[in-house]
Structures are given as structure tokens and as C-alpha cells.
Amino acid sequence: MTIEITSEDQNIPSTGGRWINGTWAAGTAGDNEVARLSSVPASAITSESSKGFKIPSRVEWSIYGGLLLVALMMRLYDLGDRAVHHDESLHGYFAYQIFTGEGYDHNPLMHGMFLFHSIAVSFFFVGDSEFSMRLPMALFGTGLVLVPLILRHRLGQTGALIAALLLVFSPSLLYYSRFARNDIFMVVFTLALVGVMWRYIDEQKHRWLYIGAALIALGFVTKETQYIVIGLLGLFLEIRVWREVRDWLYARRTLKEFSPEASFYLLLITLSLPLMAAGVAVFQGLFGLTLAAEDGLPGVVTGSPTGAGWYVAIGISAAFLAISLAIGWYWKRKVFLAAFAVFAFIFVLMFTNFGSNPAGVGSGAWQSLGYWLAQQEVARGNQPWYYYFMIGSVYEFLPFAVAGAALIYYGFKSGIRPWIFLVLIVAGTALLADSSASFEKGVVAGSEQDVLTYAGIFALFVVIASALATPFALKTSRFNQFLFFWTIGTFIAYTQAGEKMPWLLVNVALPAIILAAKVLNDVVMSIDWRKVWQSQGALALIGVPIFYLLLWKLAYDDLGTGSRQFASVWIILVVLGLLLLGLQILASRIGRPRALGIVGLATVAIMFGFTFRAGWIANYENSDIPREMLVYTQTSPDLHNLAKEIEQ
């Protein structure tokens, strides 16, 4: 696999004199300057092109069309036959109220308003039923297949197709594309926002800012997990452009001179900052105010201010809005005002129920975040911290395995820095586990308890900071660093969140799927397939499955006793040895990295088969039976069957 870095990945201003990364540079930055300013040493910059292959455009679009049809059939088949889940019943009921004209006002317990309006529209066109209640999710889950096309220039032609394939057959994405919850909407909006961000960084066309503003608003009116999405994208861009922000604060550059990365960072900040105002509620205890009421407080809506807290909340929200407008005004006035108008139009329209509930603007802007901050300690579901490790290994093992292998590969290619972070992660985890064990045993009290609390907080900070810093220590392209950061950051965010539920797995799996697609694209494009074919490398596609099958038989199968067992073991070991010898011969002909790449691709193909099996069983055999970890507080299928019998 070739590490390829170009000047395109550096965002170095090309004309004029200005401060760049704290150093004054006059004129155009040359190749040496690009290499000097890059986080990757100049020795890593290479122009070596990949081998790979190119799929004809007509064939490529035919594949997308086929995947789209397969996705649609898989999501629509038997869509209304599964028993209605507890959450689905609430979503369907309130959407039905909108459909019949009774109305429904925003309640953060039910998340944003987009879900209810989409289901109400479905009821209007198709009629009210279990099928029509889930139809919007099925259509969004189908459309998700085409979203990787936005990132095609970054993922590569093959990578975008692989991403589409994995999105079609992902067990968790398939399951929640057939489920009346908001999570599949969030997956579509999140992936589209990521794609728009990179398209703007690469093309610097204003239309991507306007589309980005719409996607940011759609995320906020859909579900509060948008705060995690904005936080991670903003943090990545902040790490990338902090020198530009510093130079602006020191009056060394103006906002108009910001790079595309810094400009998109400003878009995220200016549009999201007013909705972050409720975040100050974490400090409400210091001021003796109630800015976000705790869960269960009598007579008070959870997450809302009380008493004098109302005036403080209004003042803080107004101040945050003023700061956002001021920054946007001095950044790109016309562009910002147009983007802000797009954002505000969607946000106000949805939260006010198309004007029937003006107070929805306030609840959407403050209570959305306030409610879930208050719910953090409640930790509904009471799942352990390793929940996503467990459920991810059952359903999304393919993308996580590929992402993990890629992290190890780049770690060995990137010197000592990634391993320093690994040591810090291990040490921090050990300290955190020791602190938790001491609390559970109850062997500490008084001041010792405070010391352990602070030690645990420090250890947690070290673990999270080291994990998030690791992608930037890898010698790879800026885009690959982002994919690693996005995957690791999302996993950490949902692991630390108080509420852990199976439907949230789709948010955790999404970045891993895109990262896996990019890694597989790099492997495919690094291989000279014509030479592989001429060297009988295609035999590996047969040899690799046989190798794994024999290993399985050796570990788990009953090989008999006595001489029969000896003969069976001897034959298996001989065949395994011959297969390894064949791999060595292939490596001598086409090179070891290419041979291992073919073995890796064959392994992924086998894992894809198991992924398809897991998705099929979870969606079409046990879809409402609690044998699956995706099934949670699900209504019994007997109730659905009984309702059918009564109707007949």
C-alpha cells in the first residue's frame, strides 16, 4: 500500500505574503515549503501511482443501480409484518396526530420533529399502517447507498462502490432502515455532511456551504446526536486550523483569508453556537441556578430553566447568537447570510410545526441539549461501558476488523509516535480500572475518595486525548487521518454517553464502514491485477477459504480418536503447509505486500458472507424475537398476530 501525500492535502495559500503556521511567507509556497509545513515528512511524499484498474462508467452506474434496487427490495420486503416496537408506537401515534390535524408540539424526549413530519407525509400518501410508518426510513436507508458518491473523489471509484455495498448489507443499518426511529435519518445526514465538507475543502465552491447549512439544520431537527457529529467535525477542523485561528486572534490575518478548512470550521461554529448555549447548564450548580432541570423535578419540564434561570438562559442564547452573527458578518457576509437563512428556515419551520407552535424555537434551541444533559446521569438502559465492543463484534465485525488492521498497519509505518500514545492509553486504562475497582470494593473514604475521583478523571482524559491524537501521528493522507479520527472519536463519544442502545450502533458503525471502504480501495488499487492473473494469483481466492476451513476443523471439529485422529491432523497440517508454500511462491512473483493484499481481500470476502448471514437472520428470521442483540424492548410478535386474527 503506497502512502501518497500531495500539496492538495496541505491547504497552503498560493499567493501574497501572510502568516502561515506562525511564520511569515512571501509569495507562493513551493514544494519544499509544502513538505516543511506538512505534518508528514517530505520523504513520505511520493508520486508513485497505484496499479489497480478502472471500471467503465456505464458498468459503474449499472452496479449502483443494481445495489439501489437490492437495497430497496431488502428494506421494503415484509416491512409492515414485524410487531411495532415500543418507541415506534409513540412515534407513529404522534405522527398520526399531525396527520389528522390534532397537532404535536416538540418534546425532546421524542427527539426532533423531522421524524414525525416524515411519517405524517407517508400516512398522507400511502395511508396509516405499520408499513407506511416505516416507509420513510426504508426510503432513506435505500438512498443512503448513493451518498458515498459525494466522497467518490476521495474514496476512489472502487472505494465508493465498496462503501455502497457495505451500507446495503450492514446488519444494523438494514435493521434500522426497517424501523420507525430517527437514527437512519441521522446516518444519511451525517455522511452527506462529511461529504459536503470535503467537497468544499477540495473545490471551494459556495454551493457546498449552503448544502452544508441545510444538512446541519436537518441534523438538529432530527436528533440530538447531531451535537456529537458537530463536535467531532469541529474538533478535527480545529486541530487542523488552530494556527489560522491563533493568527486571527493576533490580528495577523483576517477571516476572509482563512483556508477552506478554516472556512468550513467557521460555518459549523457560527451555525451551531447558538444551539450550544444550553451547555452552560453543566456549571449551574456553581451559580445556584436551574438552567436545565433534572429528570423528575416536580412540576418542571426536564432540561428547561426555572425561575431566574430563564433570564440567564435567554441572555446567554442571545449573546451566543450575537457572536455567531458578528463572526459570520466579518467572514463572508453574503455567503454567511445566505447559509444562515437556509439553516434558520429549516430549523424554525420544523420546530414551530410550520408556524403553529412558535415556542418550539425555544425548546428546540435550548431544551434539546438541556434535556439530554439532564438525562446523562440517568443512563437509561444501564448498559456497560463495553456495550459497543460487544454488539459491534456481533454485527459490524467486518468494518471494525478492517479499520483495526489498517490502524495497526499505519502504526508500524509511522515511527514511534503512535506507540507512545498506545502506551498512554494502556497506562490510563489501567489507572482508571484500578480507581473503579477501589470504589466498588468500598475500601476508600473521605479524602482518599476525592484523590481517586480526580485520578480517575485524569486517567480518562489521558485515554481519550491519546486516542484522539493517534490519527494525527499516522503517516498517511489528511483524509485518512480524518477517517481514523472520525471512527475513534465516534466510538469514544457513544461509549462515554450515558444512554447506550442498539439503535445507536448505526452511528458508531458508519465511520468504520467508510474507513474500511477507503482502506480496501487502497489495497485494490495497489495491486497489478494483470500480473496477478498471469502469476495464477487467482488461486488464492480458492486457497484462502480452504485455509480458514481447515483451521476451523483443527480447532473445533471432532477428528476422532487414536490413529484416525492422528491421520486427520497430519493431513490437515500438510495441506496447510502446502497452502502457505503456495502463498510464498505467489509472493516471490508479485511481491509480498501484493500477495498479502490478495489474502486480505479474500478474507474480507469471507467476512462479508458472514455479515450477510448475520443481517439476514436479524432482519428476516428474528426481527422481533429477543434472540438478537438488536432486539430491545420489542413488542411480542404474538400481539401482532392476534391483531391480524381479530381484524380477519
Side-chain angles (χ1 to χ4, degrees):
M1 192 185 301
T2 302
I3 300 173
E4 187 172 342
I5 309 294
T6 65
S7 59
E8 172 274 327
D9 264 343
Q10 312 307 323
N11 268 336
I12 306 301
S14 59
T15 59
R18 64 186 64 185
W19 288 90
I20 302 177
N21 294 347
T23 304
W24 181 260
T28 302
D31 293 338
N32 292 333
E33 183 71 0
V34 168
R36 186 181 69 79
L37 295 173
S38 171
S39 59
V40 181
S43 60
I45 300 177
T46 176
S47 60
E48 182 182 344
S49 61
S50 300
K51 306 291 192 246
F53 56 83
K54 180 175 176 59
I55 302 174
S57 179
R58 184 175 299 178
V59 175
E60 179 187 7
W61 286 107
S62 298
I63 295 174
Y64 277 113
L67 289 176
L68 197 66
L69 289 175
V70 170
L72 183 63
M73 288 188 294
M74 293 180 69
R75 282 149 180 80
L76 292 184
Y77 172 74
D78 216 15
L79 183 62
D81 199 51
R82 182 169 62 199
V84 174
H85 182 272
H86 169 267
D87 289 3
E88 288 184 304
S89 66
L90 296 173
H91 299 155
Y93 172 73
F94 293 122
Y96 185 78
Q97 284 190 313
I98 295 176
F99 167 59
T100 58
E102 297 177 41
Y104 165 71
D105 296 335
H106 170 244
N107 182 343
L109 172 65
M110 298 285 103
H111 305 295
M113 296 295 294
F114 185 84
L115 169 76
F116 301 100
H117 288 298
S118 63
I119 295 177
V121 169
S122 180
F123 285 167
F124 177 80
F125 283 105
V126 187
D128 56 287
S129 66
E130 289 93 336
F131 176 89
S132 57
M133 181 180 66
R134 296 172 178 144
L135 182 59
M137 296 74 191
L139 295 179
F140 265 77
T142 302
L144 177 64
V145 176
L146 299 181
V147 179
L149 284 170
I150 306 176
L151 282 168
R152 183 176 178 273
H153 69 298
R154 284 283 182 171
L155 292 175
Q157 183 188 50
T158 304
L161 282 169
I162 293 174
L165 180 68
L166 296 178
L167 292 172
V168 170
F169 293 101
S170 162
S172 62
L173 287 170
L174 175 58
Y175 191 89
Y176 291 107
S177 295
R178 297 162 49 83
F179 199 96
R181 281 195 62 89
N182 355 50
D183 302 279
I184 197 64
F185 296 147
M186 286 303 303
V187 168
V188 173
F189 296 147
T190 299
L191 182 55
L193 181 60
V194 168
V196 164
M197 181 182 81
W198 284 100
R199 290 298 287 266
Y200 177 74
I201 290 173
D202 295 333
E203 300 176 10
Q204 300 155 43
K205 294 180 180 178
H206 292 160
R207 67 166 175 261
W208 296 116
L209 295 178
Y210 306 140
I211 298 174
L215 291 169
I216 294 171
L218 286 170
F220 278 120
V221 302
T222 300
K223 196 173 183 182
E224 293 76 13
T225 50
Q226 179 75 342
Y227 288 98
I228 295 177
V229 174
I230 298 299
L232 288 174
L233 297 185
L235 181 58
F236 173 80
L237 293 173
E238 169 67 25
I239 294 172
R240 289 285 308 177
V241 306
W242 69 269
R243 291 185 178 88
E244 294 184 57
V245 176
R246 177 200 61 191
D247 292 344
W248 169 64
L249 293 174
Y250 290 167
R252 293 173 173 174
R253 75 167 72 209
T254 66
L255 293 176
K256 295 180 179 179
E257 294 178 307
F258 270 20
S259 67
E261 279 181 307
S263 293
F264 203 88
Y265 171 70
L266 282 183
L267 180 75
L268 291 176
I269 294 300
T270 53
L271 296 184
S272 304
L273 185 60
L275 306 183
M276 302 289 184
V280 300
V282 298
F283 306 109
Q284 62 184 1
L286 299 176
F287 305 105
L289 297 171
T290 301
L291 298 176
E294 296 180 358
D295 185 51
L297 197 63
V300 180
V301 179
T302 304
S304 67
T306 63
W310 277 105
Y311 302 103
V312 176
I314 293 173
I316 293 174
S317 297
F320 279 28
L321 178 60
I323 292 172
S324 293
L325 293 174
I327 293 175
W329 185 263
Y330 287 104
W331 169 47
K332 295 181 178 181
R333 190 169 306 170
K334 293 182 179 180
V335 174
F336 168 74
L337 290 177
F340 187 84
V342 171
F343 175 89
F345 176 78
I346 296 173
F347 187 87
V348 172
L349 200 67
M350 282 288 171
F351 275 116
T352 63
N353 258 342
F354 293 85
S356 65
N357 176 37
V361 174
S363 65
W366 184 275
Q367 201 179 348
S368 291
L369 180 58
Y371 178 89
W372 290 102
L373 286 176
Q375 285 289 312
Q376 179 68 13
E377 295 300 323
V378 177
R380 293 189 301 190
N382 197 30
Q383 309 288 7
W385 65 269
Y386 52 83
Y387 179 70
Y388 294 112
F389 286 94
M390 182 171 57
I391 194 171
S393 66
V394 174
Y395 298 105
E396 302 296 345
F397 48 85
L398 193 160
F400 285 128
V402 175
L407 183 62
I408 295 172
Y409 170 82
Y410 282 112
F412 280 111
K413 292 288 185 179
S414 303
I416 191 66
R417 286 199 302 168
W419 302 103
I420 294 176
F421 289 127
L422 177 61
V423 171
L424 291 175
I425 292 171
V426 173
T429 302
L431 178 58
L432 191 60
D434 183 62
S435 301
S436 300
S438 298
F439 271 116
E440 290 177 2
K441 292 178 181 177
V443 298
V444 295
S447 59
E448 292 182 354
Q449 233 178 22
D450 295 335
V451 171
L452 276 177
T453 299
Y454 290 123
I457 294 174
F458 174 74
L460 182 62
F461 173 79
V462 169
V463 171
I464 293 176
S466 300
L468 293 178
T470 300
F472 298 97
L474 301 177
K475 291 182 180 178
T476 182
S477 69
R478 174 181 52 167
F479 182 64
N480 282 355
Q481 287 179 345
F482 165 76
L483 292 179
F484 280 114
F485 178 88
W486 185 26
T487 302
I488 295 172
T490 302
F491 202 98
I492 290 174
Y494 284 92
T495 297
Q496 289 301 308
E499 181 173 321
K500 301 176 181 66
M501 294 293 178
W503 43 80
L504 296 176
L505 177 62
V506 298
N507 303 281
V508 180
L510 175 65
I513 288 174
I514 303 304
L515 173 58
K518 179 61 168 64
V519 170
L520 293 175
N521 175 82
D522 292 345
V523 173
V524 169
M525 300 307 290
S526 68
I527 297 173
D528 186 341
W529 291 99
R530 180 175 298 178
K531 186 175 181 180
V532 168
W533 182 261
Q534 293 172 349
S535 304
Q536 288 81 46
L539 293 176
L541 300 177
I542 302 174
V544 172
I546 293 176
F547 184 85
Y548 287 126
L549 179 62
L550 292 177
L551 282 181
W552 179 83
K553 289 184 69 66
L554 193 63
Y556 296 106
D557 205 6
D558 182 11
L559 300 177
T561 58
S563 58
R564 179 185 174 187
Q565 183 185 54
F566 174 79
S568 300
V569 172
W570 187 83
I571 293 173
I572 290 175
L573 292 177
V574 168
V575 176
L576 289 175
L578 291 175
L579 290 173
L580 291 175
L581 178 62
L583 176 62
Q584 182 62 32
I585 295 173
L586 178 63
S588 65
R589 294 178 178 178
I590 65 174
R592 181 171 297 175
R594 274 66 178 178
L596 293 178
I598 293 174
V599 171
L601 292 174
T603 302
V604 169
I606 296 171
M607 294 176 69
F608 179 78
F610 286 106
T611 296
F612 178 83
R613 176 182 180 274
W616 183 271
I617 294 175
N619 282 276
Y620 305 112
E621 295 184 16
N622 298 329
S623 61
D624 52 4
I625 303 173
R627 296 173 183 167
E628 300 288 337
M629 294 191 70
L630 290 177
V631 176
Y632 188 87
T633 65
Q634 176 67 48
T635 307
S636 168
D638 293 334
L639 292 180
H640 192 267
N641 296 333
L642 179 60
K644 280 186 174 181
E645 186 175 343
I646 293 173
E647 184 177 356
Q648 290 173 0

